[in-house]
Amino acid sequence: MSAYILRRLWQMIPTMLGVVLLAFFLFNYVGGDPAYILAGKISSPEQIASIRRQLGIDQPYYVQLWIFIQQILTADFGSSWATNEPVSQIIITRIGPSLTILIPMLIIETVLSVLIAVGVAYVRGSLTDRAVMIGCTVAMSVSLLVYIIVGQYVLAYQLGWFPVQGWGNSFLENLFKYSPLPILLGVAVGIAPNTRLYRTFILDEINQDYVRTARAKGLSENTVMLHHVLRNALIPIITNLMTYLPALLVGDFLIERFFSIPGIGREVILAVERSDFPVIKAITVYVAAATMIVNLVADLLYQAADPRVQLK
Amino acid sequence: MSAASQSAGLWQLAWRRLIADRVAVVSMLVVGLFLLLMIASGLNLIAANWSEEVAVGYAPPSFVGAAKKAAANSPRQADNSPDAYPGTVKDPLATEIAELRRQLDGGVTTSSEADLELGDIKVVDPLAKEMAEILGTTTVAAHHELADTLPFGADKWGRDVIQKTIKGSETSIFVGLTAALLATVIGTVLGAFAGYYGGRIDDFFNWFYNVFTAIPYMLLILAIAAVLNQRGVTAVVLILGLTGWTGIYRLVRAEYMKHKSREYVQAADAIGASNRRRMFVHIFPNISHVSLVQLSVNAVGFIKSEVILSFLGFGVPVDKVSWGSMLNEAQNELILGYWWQLAAATLAMALLVTAFSMFTDALRDALDPKIK
């Protein structure tokens, strides 16, 4: 086991190096000269030169790359170009709101879609099943933007059930006052694709021999579905959930933007709008590193959940 | 594999399976219709004048009726309707402008300061020339009948929503298909090399793949949008195409690994076919259904992504219209009660995406050699 973990960590080094190179290539080469963005439209050559010196971009590329690697290792990316807030400070303060929304969203969405999937899989082929599946396909075709726009307008603006947007300072206020609508809309967006996917996972199990055996020994349908089928179908469901985990770290871009939630996702969109490269660069590198760690943990958990899985 | 002896047979069988499926035929017709719309609109056969002002601002769909519109619209009309300008609107800056005039004229006071008309202030108005141009053009338009209602309503500038939707479909579908084609070509070629050669080449492309998949998809797209820093159809196609090849790379690589040691490839080797020839002439036709299905899957995904990018303002430029930019405008219109642009963009997109997804499923079933 520890040999496996060590080997996986060792394999991460070249990938991480690649991410660093990719980020460097994008932001230091493709992105062009940031001095012109920073200096604004009216600028003298002296100003440009002094900004370039400050940022270290008058140095050759290999020196810049070394500066970048040092920044990553010391977690000091300097300050945002737009607000002068230290980038590490931005990441730390924005992650909380993102998780406040995303963790409840993921839990509710999963529980609901698993329950619906078990239900329709049980009556597979019936009119109900077909109607739910067609409903899911249509629901998936409506842009998620529409769910958010209409949901925010009807539920918050017209009916006034929820605040239109906002974010407070206390965690409980955020969770119970400002989060319910974003969570509700996030669940509404995610439930259709997940139900469809989980239904196929359950259908894969429902025709297995062990199900016939369980029925043959006279177990009730509830026991067969919930104890036997669902338990086995949980393995691919967990695998699917694991792929969502890295997304927790970047937040939900659209929901955070619509509801003015000060999370990572909104920060990224703001940074793109302002060409605030240090912020996007830092978030990209850290999220990539975290994604790899999360994937490793997911594989370990996966083996714990299913002893048949062999880690090689 | 029985159909491999005459490679047209496989496609013929797949086609027969596809047209035997009623859902597939209907969805194919819908997708085909959208493609025709896209081509016709691209050639300016329809919706060429989408940017022209044909109705009053926010003209409602005709079934809602003009009477209701007048009631709903009256408070906003002053801001949006061009008819409002030539009239005797009270200028909120009238006193300030009069003051300026006084200074300019050397202390001569105007008696009717508050009733100053727009025409009088041109002397000091720095935008007078532009204003006159705008007034000139809009009043011309205003004279040849601006409709009070349109079958599908109008947007803020009195443009026909149905024409905008057609033009938006053109942009969104074109971007989706082109980006999907780019991603499929990149993914297929890289996957072919990695799977066929294996070894160092495989390691290198896998490393590349790992790097791209380590960064969450939306974050990668936004990062590239940030550095490209330009809005345009080409930019969006590049962003989506260069980030979206990873899924197909994996599938094609696995297929090539499976096929490279099959007998027909060995036979091709024996008659002296080069590596390239074996990869693209012998193996590719046998795995091309994977690429085709992925092309279809990617097209649906990229159409959705383009809508989000354009909505956020990182997609197509303002002089183009896409479903995403329509949704962006619709977001503010909805609060004022003008829902028709939102409905049009949503319906057009939902119809296409539903049909395209169903077509993709049917295509996958028809091409899967296991079901026969």
Side-chain angles (χ1 to χ4, degrees), chain A residues 112-187:
Chain A
L112 282 181
S113 44
V114 167
L115 288 179
I116 299 175
V118 170
V120 292
Y122 185 64
V123 293
R124 64 191 173 284
S126 72
L127 193 64
T128 321
D129 177 34
R130 285 219 300 266
V132 170
M133 281 310 104
I134 290 172
C136 281
T137 311
V138 175
M140 280 163 71
S141 309
V142 176
S143 175
L144 61 162
L145 292 165
V146 176
Y147 286 94
I148 306 177
I149 294 174
V150 175
Q152 193 179 29
Y153 173 68
V154 174
L155 297 176
Y157 193 84
Q158 282 218 313
L159 298 173
W161 292 353
F162 303 96
V164 175
Q165 51 176 228
W167 201 251
N169 286 321
S170 92
F171 170 72
L172 288 178
E173 186 195 9
N174 287 336
L175 186 63
F176 292 109
K177 186 172 168 204
Y178 295 114
S179 300
L181 184 58
I183 292 175
L184 180 73
L185 294 177
V187 170

Side-chain angles (χ1 to χ4, degrees), chain B residues 68-263:
Chain B
K68 196 178 168 195
K69 163 237 136 199
N73 259 17
S74 44
R76 305 280 315 166
Q77 199 131 32
D79 310 342
N80 303 309
S81 167
D83 304 350
Y85 290 115
T88 52
V89 180
K90 250 191 189 176
D91 191 329
L93 291 175
T95 40
E96 283 83 351
I97 287 166
E99 180 64 32
L100 279 172
R101 263 181 70 94
R102 233 193 329 269
Q103 289 168 6
L104 212 71
D105 298 349
V108 185
T109 45
T110 324
S111 54
S112 56
E113 286 173 8
D115 296 330
L116 264 180
E117 286 188 8
L118 206 64
D120 298 338
I121 52 174
K122 273 179 190 155
V123 208
V124 281
D125 189 348
L127 289 175
K129 224 175 79 188
E130 287 80 356
M131 201 61 198
E133 267 171 32
I134 294 169
L135 286 176
T137 50
T138 48
T139 40
V140 169
H143 282 313
H144 77 80
E145 84 298 322
L146 285 183
D148 281 337
T149 63
L150 285 174
F152 293 89
D155 73 351
K156 184 176 172 185
W157 296 279
R159 298 182 296 195
D160 189 355
V161 164
I162 189 68
Q163 295 209 28
K164 263 185 100 174
T165 312
I166 293 173
K167 210 67 194 167
S169 310
E170 180 203 327
T171 313
S172 297
I173 301 172
F174 178 78
V175 168
L177 286 181
T178 330
L181 204 62
L182 179 65
T184 308
V185 169
I186 297 176
T188 305
V189 171
L190 295 189
F193 274 93
Y196 183 81
Y197 285 106
R200 290 258 172 89
I201 294 177
D202 189 28
D203 288 345
F204 176 74
F205 286 135
N206 274 343
W207 170 75
F208 209 57
Y209 167 85
N210 283 334
V211 169
F212 268 81
T213 47
I215 306 169
Y217 183 61
M218 239 356 238
L219 184 61
L220 186 60
I221 287 187
L222 289 175
I224 295 183
V227 294
L228 281 182
N229 199 25
Q230 48 184 306
R231 320 277 171 257
V233 170
T234 325
V236 185
V237 169
L238 281 179
I239 292 172
L240 295 174
L242 292 179
T243 54
W245 55 270
T246 48
I248 175 159
Y249 162 80
R250 231 183 133 80
L251 291 170
V252 171
R253 173 175 168 270
E255 287 294 320
Y256 267 86
M257 286 167 78
K258 213 163 65 190
H259 277 264
K260 69 175 174 189
S261 50
R262 294 250 168 107
E263 280 101 347

Side-chain angles (χ1 to χ4, degrees), chain B residues 25-49:
Chain B
V25 172
V26 173
S27 55
M28 225 164 21
L29 284 177
V30 175
V31 174
L33 197 71
F34 269 97
L35 288 181
L36 276 181
L37 268 184
M38 180 192 99
I39 293 166
S41 144
L43 295 173
N44 279 334
L45 296 177
I46 46 169
N49 305 323

